[in-house]
Amino acid sequence: MNPLVVARRTISAFVLAALAGTALASPVHAQEEPLPVSITGPDSVNLPLHPKTGEPGEPQIELGLRAPGEPVPDEDGVTWPIHTGEYTVTVDASSLVGIAAVDFSQLGGWQGCSVDGLVATCSNYEIYAGQDYNDLGGIRLDVTDGSAAGDVGAIEITAVGEGLSFTGHTVDVLVGGPELLMKQLTEPVGFQAGDTFQAPLGFRNVGGLGGDGVVLRISGSRGLSFPGTFSNCWYEPRDADDVLGRSTALCIFDSEFAGEVTYGLSAPFPIETAGFALYDAMSYSFSAVPAEQARELLTEGDYQAGDGSALELVRVPDADPTDYTRYPEMDFPTANTFDLDLTGERLRARKGSTVSVDIGFDNHGPAWLALLRSGGEPVTFWVDLPPGTTVTTVPEGCSPGWEGAEGDYLCHLDTPILEDASRTFTFGLHVNEVIKNATGRAFFAYTMPNEGKPANDSGAIVLNPVGKN
């Protein structure tokens, strides 16, 4: 068979598995004698012909075993093996002679393995249920001076042991297969929430081989959406009830692409922004996947086909290699603002009485506050209580301050904070002493970026005010 065809088939299977989240190991079967055990690991490895300088020498191949069931500790918290008895694992990489250098040094854990050329033999004694405790270690592959784009080989892993029935595993290796880097994006000057970003998406194939199909996957957070513009793209809007969900689009290109060539789209990809959008997250990727396999990805979601003209790939001459990256992401729009508003309360209260004091929080928009990059980190504000009072009730989300803290109580607001969010924090206060104009406050300790109206970032709490209430 033509080596290029083999290479394409190999890398296509590899990338499809990565995109579709395909399981890498054989399924667990009901336990029987002998004990069925499967060897787990990646199905394939695409070995870059020109690895990045300074790239750490981590294994690309992690191997393990999967046995029936799942590990369950006993009443003392000890997890016991389900099989004891010597078994031997053989890792045969001899087909990689002249194709890749093989490093077995991290195989077999602390016991290591016996290595003879490109064959490693590892002995072990215990097997646990499931696969969490059955790690076999890793294998590192590197290109050599004799490696060439399109070289293919395989690593065969087998095992034997008394009372055990092993299912072997094969890791296909391809040198210099398609390796796509994505064009970095920047927010246009003067871009505002509500505008449509015409995204100039593209990729640079730094691999030595081309392919015969490409998939574009693009996703965006709540403030971003994709109009159904292209007939070879399929669109899945975000679930309206999932504020942290993402809209997704998949575009399938049947055309071939070459090695070491840069491509763009025949038209910009439109990304609409909502009026509340602020630092919304957008990411995209091109992957080398044959079209007939790529369409299997559409079964993963509720995708609807676009109704416009077809989007195509076009070569981009003289592209700057520094404009392309492995993980392109963009947070925009950056110019929108929100208006976080804290309000207090003015009350009259007698000595010895207990009163409820409401602290109001509102976001008057127009933007939401998501803090997507910090993983939903809460926003906090402080509460100083009026003198002459003792707290009897602390609202949920608030806790006492500490010595030297900026206030008496620290309160948390979970993010995302929607553009029309509203919440009330109610403190119960016992009046120990009547003090005219006894004043406390709720306040943010600092003005956040994109706060459109800092003047209302604090609210007064006044007991027994003098003058109009």
Side-chain angles (χ1 to χ4, degrees):
M1 181 178 288
N2 186 314
L4 180 58
V5 173
V6 174
R8 286 179 178 173
R9 288 183 178 178
T10 302
I11 189 57
S12 296
F14 167 71
V15 178
L16 181 63
L19 279 173
T22 304
L24 298 179
S26 302
V28 172
H29 300 283
Q31 186 171 352
E32 58 184 16
E33 293 295 342
L35 182 71
V37 181
S38 57
I39 299 171
T40 65
D43 290 329
S44 56
V45 172
N46 181 22
L47 193 57
L49 193 58
H50 307 291
K52 187 183 301 183
T53 303
E55 194 172 69
E58 295 297 324
Q60 303 98 327
I61 301 170
E62 294 287 350
L63 299 177
L65 301 177
R66 174 180 286 166
E70 294 297 332
V72 179
D74 63 13
E75 61 274 11
D76 297 320
V78 178
T79 300
W80 298 94
I82 61 173
H83 172 87
T84 55
E86 186 170 355
Y87 62 91
T88 302
V89 178
T90 300
V91 181
D92 186 349
S94 56
S95 74
L96 297 183
V97 171
I99 294 175
V102 183
D103 180 1
F104 289 128
S105 63
Q106 298 186 57
L107 197 63
W110 64 271
Q111 300 179 83
C113 298
S114 173
V115 178
D116 181 10
L118 292 182
V119 178
T121 304
C122 313
S123 296
N124 214 326
Y125 190 78
E126 297 176 336
I127 294 178
Y128 293 82
Q131 66 181 77
D132 293 347
Y133 301 104
N134 297 320
D135 182 28
L136 295 178
I139 304 170
R140 171 72 188 182
L141 303 179
D142 288 288
V143 294
T144 68
D145 291 340
S147 301
D151 285 348
V152 293
I155 300 176
E156 301 286 347
I157 307 102
T158 56
V160 294
E162 185 175 351
L164 299 168
S165 176
F166 285 95
T167 301
H169 188 73
T170 300
V171 181
D172 294 317
V173 178
L174 169 67
V175 176
E179 186 181 356
L180 311 187
L181 303 183
M182 272 50 74
K183 181 178 175 61
Q184 299 184 85
L185 303 176
T186 57
E187 182 181 26
V189 175
F191 193 88
Q192 299 291 323
D195 292 348
T196 296
F197 176 40
Q198 301 294 340
L201 309 183
F203 68 88
R204 182 179 183 85
N205 181 13
V206 296
L209 298 178
D212 58 0
V214 175
V215 167
L216 165 63
R217 183 193 295 267
I218 181 169
S219 71
S221 59
R222 177 174 174 260
L224 308 179
S225 60
F226 312 126
T229 307
F230 304 109
S231 60
N232 60 327
C233 296
W234 287 259
Y235 303 84
E236 183 181 35
R238 177 187 62 87
D239 182 348
D241 295 328
D242 183 3
V243 296
L244 290 178
R246 297 172 75 95
S247 298
T248 305
L250 282 176
C251 301
I252 298 176
F253 302 90
D254 297 333
S255 54
E256 293 189 355
F257 64 96
E260 301 181 343
V261 174
T262 301
Y263 293 86
L265 299 179
S266 56
F269 193 95
I271 304 174
E272 295 180 348
T273 63
F276 62 78
L278 174 65
Y279 288 106
D280 275 81
M282 169 264 181
S283 61
Y284 80 98
S285 64
F286 286 93
S287 301
V289 184
E292 64 275 10
Q293 296 181 18
R295 284 182 170 80
E296 297 176 17
L297 301 176
L298 299 175
T299 63
E300 296 178 0
D302 186 19
Y303 288 97
Q304 302 296 318
D307 57 5
S309 59
L311 194 61
E312 298 177 356
L313 296 178
V314 294
R315 287 197 179 208
V316 178
D318 304 322
D320 185 348
T322 63
D323 289 341
Y324 293 80
T325 182
R326 196 172 305 275
Y327 304 109
E329 294 181 318
M330 179 176 167
D331 296 344
F332 72 107
T334 60
N336 209 355
T337 61
F338 47 78
D339 176 14
L340 305 187
D341 181 5
L342 288 174
T343 56
E345 197 169 8
R346 297 166 63 89
L347 296 172
R348 296 191 182 278
R350 296 180 180 181
K351 181 177 181 178
S353 65
T354 298
V355 295
S356 294
V357 175
D358 291 338
I359 296 171
F361 166 79
D362 294 277
N363 180 14
H364 301 303
W368 72 324
L369 177 58
L371 298 181
L372 297 173
R373 292 297 176 193
S374 62
E377 179 182 351
V379 172
T380 60
F381 66 90
W382 290 94
V383 176
D384 278 336
L385 300 175
T389 63
T390 302
V391 171
T392 60
T393 304
V394 178
E396 183 179 356
C398 298
S399 56
W402 51 91
E403 184 176 354
E406 297 182 67
D408 296 330
Y409 283 83
L410 181 64
C411 297
H412 294 78
L413 293 158
D414 291 335
T415 56
I417 297 172
L418 301 187
E419 60 279 5
D420 56 356
S422 181
R423 184 175 172 186
T424 299
F425 295 80
T426 302
F427 282 84
L429 301 182
H430 182 266
V431 180
N432 304 315
E433 179 183 0
V434 173
I435 301 174
K436 292 182 178 180
N437 282 329
T439 302
R441 64 174 181 146
F443 63 99
F444 290 106
Y446 64 95
T447 300
M448 285 181 287
N450 297 89
E451 167 60 77
K453 192 176 179 181
N456 61 6
D457 281 2
S458 66
I461 306 166
V462 183
L463 293 186
N464 297 305
V466 176
K468 288 187 176 181
N469 186 358

